[in-house]
Amino acid sequence: MGFLAPWMLLGALTAGVPIALHLIRRNKPTVVPWAAMDFLLRSVRETRSASRFRDMMLLVCRVFVLVLATLALARPLASWVPGTGPVDLALLLDVSGSMRTEEPTATGPRSRFSLARDEAERLVRALPAGSRVRLMPFGDRVEAGQTPSEPLEPALVLESLGRLRQTDLATRLEPALDMAADALAQSDMANKRLWIISDAPAAIWAASAGSLRALPNRLPGANLGWSRVGTALTAHVQLMESGPEGGLLLANTRQPWRVRLRNTGTGPARGLTVRLAMPQTGGADPAAQPADSGNIDEVSLAEIGPGQERVLHLEALLPEGRHGVMATVTWAGERWPIDGSMARVVEARSPRRVLVVERTSTVDPGQASGFFLEQALVALAGEAAPGETKRPLEVLRRSPREIGELTDIDLVFLAGISPPGLPDESARQLLDWCKAGRLLVAWGPFTGVPPVVDNPWGNLFAGVDPAQIQTPPSLPDITQARGILAPFALPPLDRLGRVILRRLHSTGAEDPAEEMLLRTTAGAPLVRRQELGRGEVIRLDLGVDAADSDLVLSPIFPPLVGALSSRAGEVALADHNLQAGAPPRSPGLELGPTRLLRTTDSAETSETRAWNKAGIWRLEENGVPVRDAVWAVRGGTGEGDDLEPAPTSVVHELAGDSLVVVDANSTEAAGILTGQGGEAAWWILLVVLMLLLSEGLVARWAGGSL
Amino acid sequence: MSGAPILDDSAGQGFLAKAKALGLRALAQVEGGRIGEQKSPRRGFSVEFAQHREYVPGDDPRHLDWRAYARTERLTIKEYRQETNYTLQVVLDQTPSMASPSSPDKGLEGHTGKGYQARLLSLVAGLVAQSQGDQTSLWLADGRNDSRRGDACIIPATVRAGAGQMLANQLREIRPQPGNESPAQKSDLARVLGQVVSRPLRRGLVLVISDLLEEWDPLSSLLRQVRARGHDLLVLQVLHSDEIDMPFTGDVRFDDLESATRVSTRPHQIRQRYTTLVAEWLDRVRADLRGVGADHALVRADKDPHDTVLTLLADRLARRKASGGS
């Protein structure tokens, strides 16, 4: 019999308490002068043996209650409990880049990866006979090539552990969780266990909340466990965002470039340098690049305090075309430099053409609803500085019936128009244009718009059913909106919802709180994104007319439009800004089986380095660069984010109540909740309850406390 | 707290008045020195007709039944039952066992104490008897069986005025005291009953007021002898409800009132057996007393005794009337 919380067995010492009380503490009896002593003496004499028996029973009951309660708290794994026996273990071992980080140990610094392997070995060795293990090394996906796909005997797994390799991948739990759950769901073994060994911080657990919550349903009765490795960094600067201010990058124009930094450590970071460059070769390590290699701009920052965030504005002057731009932040004392770099492929064009398709304003029939959009876009373009050419941002405004030629249009805003209501000709034009890899943004209060079936847009613009509006989920649930509106992910979006949106879609309720619920609904975030061919449609359940809300008059409206505009560039270059492991959607490109990036219509590239290494990559064919073949791989994005280990309570919240947290560094379990498999605690607690009941009966029988 | 029985409050006065109205009737034939309300074994010439008998010379011609002579032409003497007073022999138990319940520290007894209730009943009986013109004699069993107190009769029978006050004064001086006793002292009630039996007393009413917590067989034998002497016997058994029901909880140490015996136990564990033993004993007492033609009533010291006593007196009155008495 094993125990999940063996230190709780120390509580068994409390079993001595009733005995000690019995021996030491005697109740001071009530003294009663008595006359009928003969009867009393006869009664005592005749009931003495029964009384002793009852007293003994009471003492035994009480001792057993304490012993068994302690045993239950120690959470024994008993063979007689269903779910015990051979285990089918899916062992997810984090091999992402952050696992290179060295941790101080008693035997000297060791990488988290090494600690994780030790923990894996410990877990495998502890398995009961007949168990089998599916070893799944993962970064942002399962590294299927490193280990056999079939479950192995524990002895073979121990050998495989030694052959595991570290990668530069980011950490994403969801793909690995999904794959492991699928594999275990097909297992014919009764006792299933899914164990994660990772340094995943709280943000990554939060991002995987959906998969974690689904696990109990997908794997009923299985155990989920997490051994965490890694300790908090005293100072850790992460580059959160890098891109042109206002979104649309204009060629040959000095344009602000926005870089956002965050110190997720517990101490200040000092002497920071942020550099913007166009590296000529691949690789993640900015130190490997020549110091002046394609340098665009550079700025220094004295200090970022713990938990602080800074937005820096650099300047970029780029020629027309696609460019790989890498932003890096360096500072003394960094432990995990990959978090301080962010690569991005941008396209500089001139001019940029934005089409606003509008209807007539309900406020002023003479004014179109796209008026405020145009004003915001003009504000984003800004006034030309002295000596510079005015930014060639062209805003076109057309009616739904006459959309006109869309070939040169970079971005379309539908202002207050429901796309299904567009004339057929205009709808077809927009569909074809979007599917070719463009961004269509539709503004409008779509709440309550019924789903349609015979419509080229499908149900893309079906509104939220007001009847389904529920209590708003917490902010982390609106992850879709986060991906699009990164600057608005937290406070501005929240403010947007709480302050403005409640005026947008009033349900007519008197209670303002009820109106506020409209910020997000169950599964219906404020901002929705849907792919359409190679393009993308973003739907905002927001008014763009002052008749709908005062959103357009608020200071956050221009930045909101800017963020959406920026998204236009992201969509257009989606293939070129790759998350490591994310397959490109370009029909002419595909990822090689393991590490090579190649073209399908030409000979295999001579590039042999791992494509999934973070950085800017240029595809060459026999030493000759392929046209426009520039890719940015975000291998390190998200690594090291909030390296403070997730509090146990947070993880429990994420995973329901079926998670074991084990700290691999201290080899001491940090949490005690688990699933049912093999655990005898509930059975013992049932016995304890029965004993307590018996104790009560015996105590009543025995006539009071001992 | 004074040990004097209190009858001067409104409840006590009411109780006493009702008791006097009902009277304490002797159901057996008693012998007295004066004309009274009680049946006498002797024939006399009183109010209550007894029988006719043939005239013999020497009979007082005033008692000839001339109507009977007219019908039968035979001289017949008309006899009447002699009614006399009686002597109430109150045997009061104030042995240490009657000190229950009392404070274990101060030895005080309350008005719910058995001793107090017994004295109260004695006083009531004495006053009722006095109101009927009967004599009252008080016998005390207090466990002090020394030579000085060898005679247990502390108030001899008298009908003079102030007898009631004398009884009250005497009762004020009496109080049961807990203490270690010898086995002989423990059976002090038996000793006193022995004296009652051995004295050449006229047939009267013997009222025993006690908890009877002594060895029952000797007591039973003596009570049978009391009846054999022709006395009417009435036993008021005074017990506290605690002694009958054992209602205590938790850890309790019982200190014997008559010895140094101490018993620590959990009453809950012995309650069932104890109450069974007590109930069996009470049944046996009732049966034995009924067997000798004695009256028995259980008086709970912690309850108001008025109803119990008045019911008993009413019952005796009814039975007396049923048997032809007044």
Side-chain angles (χ1 to χ4, degrees):
Chain A
M1 178 183 283
F3 294 93
L4 289 172
W7 64 92
M8 294 300 291
L9 288 173
L10 289 174
L13 296 175
T14 57
V17 172
I19 300 173
L21 287 176
H22 179 67
L23 296 175
I24 298 170
R25 180 172 164 267
R26 296 280 184 182
N27 286 333
K28 187 177 179 183
T30 307
V31 177
V32 176
W34 197 247
M37 190 56 83
D38 289 342
F39 297 119
L40 185 73
L41 287 171
R42 277 181 61 189
S43 307
V44 170
R45 195 164 48 243
E46 293 174 12
T47 58
R48 181 170 296 145
S49 57
S51 297
R52 281 183 182 169
F53 174 72
R54 282 181 286 200
D55 286 351
M56 195 53 65
M57 287 285 293
L58 192 59
L59 184 63
V60 167
C61 271
R62 287 172 178 175
V63 169
F64 264 86
V65 162
L66 287 171
V67 168
L68 289 179
T70 302
L71 198 62
L73 288 175
R75 305 174 66 209
L77 295 170
S79 58
W80 45 268
V81 177
T84 320
V87 176
D88 193 343
L89 169 66
L91 186 57
L92 299 178
L93 198 148
D94 191 347
V95 293
S96 66
S98 63
M99 296 292 281
R100 292 185 198 280
T101 309
E102 292 197 332
E103 299 287 344
T105 67
T107 57
R110 292 181 64 191
S111 71
R112 294 175 181 172
F113 179 65
S114 171
L115 291 170
R117 278 199 304 201
D118 288 353
E119 174 68 4
E121 186 175 332
R122 187 186 69 79
L123 287 170
V124 171
R125 288 188 189 282
L127 289 174
S131 300
R132 58 191 186 191
V133 182
R134 302 160 195 268
L135 183 58
M136 297 180 171
F138 75 99
D140 56 4
R141 65 183 189 282
V142 172
E143 281 281 276
Q146 290 206 33
T147 55
S149 57
E150 295 302 313
L152 300 175
E153 297 292 326
L156 296 175
V157 173
L158 292 176
E159 293 177 14
S160 298
L161 280 173
R163 292 195 295 271
L164 284 182
R165 294 183 308 275
Q166 180 94 51
T167 70
D168 283 330
L169 297 175
T171 303
R172 281 182 66 211
L173 283 174
E174 278 185 296
L177 284 172
D178 289 345
M179 184 175 283
D182 288 344
L184 285 178
Q186 294 170 5
S187 168
D188 56 353
M189 295 180 72
N191 196 10
K192 299 168 185 174
R193 191 177 299 172
L194 197 160
W195 203 280
I196 306 163
I197 305 175
S198 172
D199 64 347
I204 291 179
W205 286 99
S208 309
S211 292
L212 287 164
R213 286 201 180 100
L215 278 177
N217 291 331
R218 296 176 69 180
L219 299 171
N223 278 336
L224 171 65
W226 170 37
S227 297
R228 63 184 174 205
V229 291
T231 53
L233 299 178
T234 52
H236 180 69
V237 179
Q238 185 177 0
L239 211 156
M240 308 297 293
E241 179 195 351
S242 170
E245 186 86 57
L248 297 177
L249 184 61
L250 306 175
N252 301 311
T253 302
R254 195 173 297 279
Q255 194 166 342
W257 189 281
R258 175 188 170 100
V259 171
R260 190 158 56 97
L261 306 172
R262 190 168 72 179
N263 182 359
T264 59
T266 55
R270 296 189 176 87
L272 299 100
T273 301
V274 180
R275 191 159 68 101
L276 207 59
M278 289 192 294
Q280 300 301 311
T281 59
D285 186 2
Q289 303 290 335
D292 56 350
S293 170
N295 201 14
I296 302 173
D297 199 3
E298 189 174 293
V299 69
S300 296
L301 185 65
E303 179 180 318
I304 299 183
Q308 288 184 344
E309 196 168 291
R310 290 275 195 280
V311 175
L312 303 177
H313 296 280
L314 289 82
E315 281 196 339
L317 179 61
L318 299 175
E320 190 153 348
R322 290 179 178 172
H323 311 285
V325 177
M326 176 168 275
T328 56
V329 55
T330 55
W331 56 287
E334 64 183 3
R335 283 179 68 188
W336 185 238
I338 196 167
D339 274 357
S341 67
M342 180 174 283
R344 188 169 177 189
V345 174
V346 292
E347 183 176 27
R349 283 182 56 191
S350 184
R352 289 286 191 177
R353 293 160 70 89
V354 178
L355 173 62
V356 178
V357 182
E358 60 191 354
R359 60 174 172 82
T360 304
S361 170
T362 55
V363 173
D364 179 3
Q367 188 64 274
S369 59
F371 170 77
F372 296 104
L373 264 178
E374 182 185 349
Q375 296 305 310
L377 289 164
V378 169
L380 286 171
E383 296 296 327
E388 286 188 349
T389 307
K390 182 176 170 57
R391 291 177 181 176
L393 178 67
E394 189 176 350
V395 180
L396 308 172
R397 297 170 64 187
R398 293 174 187 165
S399 78
R401 298 188 177 282
E402 295 176 2
I403 289 180
E405 183 58 46
L406 295 175
T407 310
D408 296 332
I409 301 295
D410 295 304
L411 172 65
V412 171
F413 282 102
L414 294 180
I417 297 173
S418 175
L422 285 172
D424 288 349
E425 182 61 27
S426 300
R428 268 196 298 276
Q429 269 187 284
L430 279 173
L431 273 170
D432 293 343
W433 171 84
C434 184
K435 286 178 179 175
R438 299 292 184 176
L439 178 67
L440 173 67
V441 181
W443 297 76
F446 300 126
T447 304
V449 175
V452 290
V453 287
D454 52 349
N455 178 301
W457 301 92
N459 287 320
L460 186 57
F461 291 93
V464 177
D465 181 2
Q468 294 179 350
I469 292 171
Q470 297 175 4
T471 305
S474 57
L475 275 174
D477 278 355
I478 50 176
T479 49
Q480 271 186 291
R482 274 190 170 190
I484 301 164
L485 301 171
F488 296 92
L490 289 170
L493 186 59
D494 191 45
R495 191 167 64 236
L496 184 74
R498 290 179 188 280
V499 176
I500 298 167
L501 187 58
R502 67 181 175 187
R503 296 192 189 177
L504 289 179
H505 311 309
S506 171
T507 57
E510 295 293 329
D511 185 2
E514 188 176 343
E515 293 182 342
M516 193 175 71
L517 300 185
L518 289 169
R519 177 168 66 87
T520 54
T521 62
L526 171 68
V527 182
R528 292 179 168 188
R529 190 194 73 174
Q530 186 161 338
E531 292 177 2
L532 191 63
R534 293 185 56 218
E536 195 172 290
V537 174
I538 291 178
R539 194 191 90 187
L540 291 92
D541 279 334
L542 301 169
V544 72
D545 191 324
D548 298 326
S549 82
D550 55 0
L551 167 65
V552 293
L553 303 176
S554 71
I556 64 169
F557 186 65
L560 185 62
V561 175
L564 292 168
S565 306
S566 172
R567 182 65 187 166
E570 296 276 351
V571 173
L573 294 171
D575 294 340
H576 293 261
N577 288 309
L578 298 177
Q579 290 283 347
R585 288 174 299 177
S586 171
L589 294 170
E590 69 175 43
L591 289 175
T594 53
R595 294 178 296 153
L596 296 177
L597 186 66
R598 62 182 180 179
T599 59
T600 55
D601 54 357
S602 63
E604 193 169 299
T605 175
S606 60
E607 175 60 72
T608 57
R609 283 186 288 182
W611 69 269
N612 56 6
K613 199 170 181 67
I616 299 294
W617 293 90
R618 290 182 183 280
L619 186 63
E620 296 176 350
E621 195 172 342
N622 297 322
V624 179
V626 176
R627 183 175 59 85
D628 284 345
V630 179
W631 278 267
V633 178
R634 297 178 178 179
T637 303
E639 288 295 335
D641 180 11
D642 187 11
L643 266 178
E644 188 73 44
T648 305
S649 58
V650 172
V651 179
H652 289 164
E653 194 275 327
L654 290 174
D657 61 352
S658 57
L659 189 71
V660 177
V661 183
V662 177
D663 191 330
N665 291 334
S666 62
T667 67
E668 182 181 358
I672 59 169
L673 292 178
T674 188
Q676 306 95 323
E679 194 178 339
W682 291 112
W683 295 85
I684 295 174
L685 283 176
L686 190 64
V687 175
V688 167
L689 281 177
M690 293 174 65
L691 271 175
L692 279 174
L693 187 64
S694 332
E695 191 267 357
L697 292 175
V698 172
R700 187 176 172 79
W701 183 34
S705 58
L706 287 176
Chain B
M1 182 177 295
S2 170
I6 298 173
L7 279 173
D8 53 0
D9 58 350
S10 59
Q13 289 298 327
F15 170 51
L16 184 59
K18 288 177 185 174
K20 284 180 177 176
L22 291 169
L24 180 55
R25 309 297 178 181
L27 298 181
Q29 292 175 341
V30 294
E31 299 169 339
R34 299 171 61 183
I35 302 291
E37 296 179 352
Q38 311 301 325
K39 291 179 183 176
S40 168
R42 297 176 183 156
R43 299 289 180 264
F45 302 95
S46 181
V47 178
E48 188 180 352
F49 173 77
Q51 64 180 3
H52 283 99
R53 69 171 172 81
E54 198 169 338
Y55 173 79
V56 293
D59 286 339
D60 189 345
R62 289 180 298 173
H63 297 299
L64 282 172
D65 188 347
W66 294 112
R67 289 183 181 175
Y69 175 75
R71 289 195 303 268
T72 63
E73 294 184 350
R74 294 172 61 181
L75 289 173
T76 307
I77 290 295
K78 192 175 182 181
E79 284 191 343
Y80 294 83
R81 189 181 302 281
Q82 183 178 2
E83 290 188 344
T84 182
N85 68 342
Y86 69 89
T87 303
L88 172 65
Q89 310 288 345
V90 178
V91 180
L92 175 62
D93 183 359
Q94 293 289 287
T95 55
S97 71
M98 294 295 283
S100 169
S102 64
S103 165
D105 300 326
K106 298 179 181 177
L108 297 177
E109 62 169 351
H111 286 184
T112 59
K114 294 193 295 181
Y116 176 84
Q117 289 293 346
R119 294 197 299 278
L120 179 68
L121 292 171
S122 302
L123 180 59
V124 169
L127 293 176
V128 170
Q130 186 189 23
S131 69
Q132 297 172 172
D134 297 327
Q135 297 173 318
T136 301
S137 175
L138 180 62
W139 301 72
L140 177 65
D142 61 358
R144 297 171 191 171
N145 187 16
D146 51 27
S147 56
R148 185 171 56 85
R149 302 289 302 274
D151 186 359
C153 183
I154 59 172
I155 299 180
T158 178
V159 291
R160 65 182 179 184
Q165 187 59 45
M166 186 173 66
L167 177 63
N169 291 339
Q170 186 66 48
L171 289 174
R172 187 176 292 120
E173 303 301 322
I174 300 169
R175 189 173 307 172
Q177 293 294 335
N180 295 339
E181 291 184 328
S182 64
Q185 289 172 317
K186 279 185 177 180
S187 57
D188 200 41
L189 179 62
R191 177 185 69 85
V192 174
L193 284 174
Q195 290 186 11
V196 171
V197 168
S198 62
R199 296 282 174 86
L201 300 174
R202 286 180 173 177
R203 282 187 281 179
L205 173 60
V206 177
L207 172 62
V208 179
I209 305 175
S210 167
D211 56 8
L212 303 182
L213 286 173
E214 288 184 14
E215 197 175 348
W216 173 243
D217 287 338
L219 267 186
S220 174
S221 172
L222 285 166
L223 290 170
R224 218 169 13 248
Q225 291 179 45
V226 168
R227 282 291 293 148
R229 297 276 178 179
H231 296 295
D232 191 4
L233 178 60
L234 172 58
V235 178
L236 293 179
Q237 186 173 12
V238 182
L239 289 172
H240 196 276
S241 291
D242 290 353
E243 294 173 329
I244 300 172
D245 303 326
M246 180 67 72
F248 306 104
T249 57
D251 292 332
V252 178
R253 194 188 78 198
F254 294 95
D255 290 358
D256 191 2
L257 286 165
E258 298 179 339
S259 70
T261 305
R262 290 176 172 184
V263 178
S264 292
T265 185
R266 233 166 287 138
H268 187 94
Q269 295 180 338
I270 62 168
R271 180 173 301 134
Q272 188 176 5
R273 183 63 190 142
Y274 175 87
T275 52
T276 303
L277 289 173
V278 171
E280 288 174 354
W281 170 66
L282 288 175
D283 287 346
R284 187 179 168 205
V285 168
R286 282 193 200 97
D288 288 356
L289 289 174
R290 197 181 303 122
V292 297
D295 272 354
H296 170 265
L298 176 63
V299 177
R300 291 189 182 238
D302 51 320
K303 304 273 171 57
D304 190 346
H306 298 181
D307 288 344
T308 306
V309 171
L310 293 177
T311 302
L312 178 71
L313 296 180
D315 178 58
R316 290 179 69 84
L317 180 60
R319 284 155 61 195
R320 177 183 164 84
K321 283 182 176 176
S323 65
S326 60

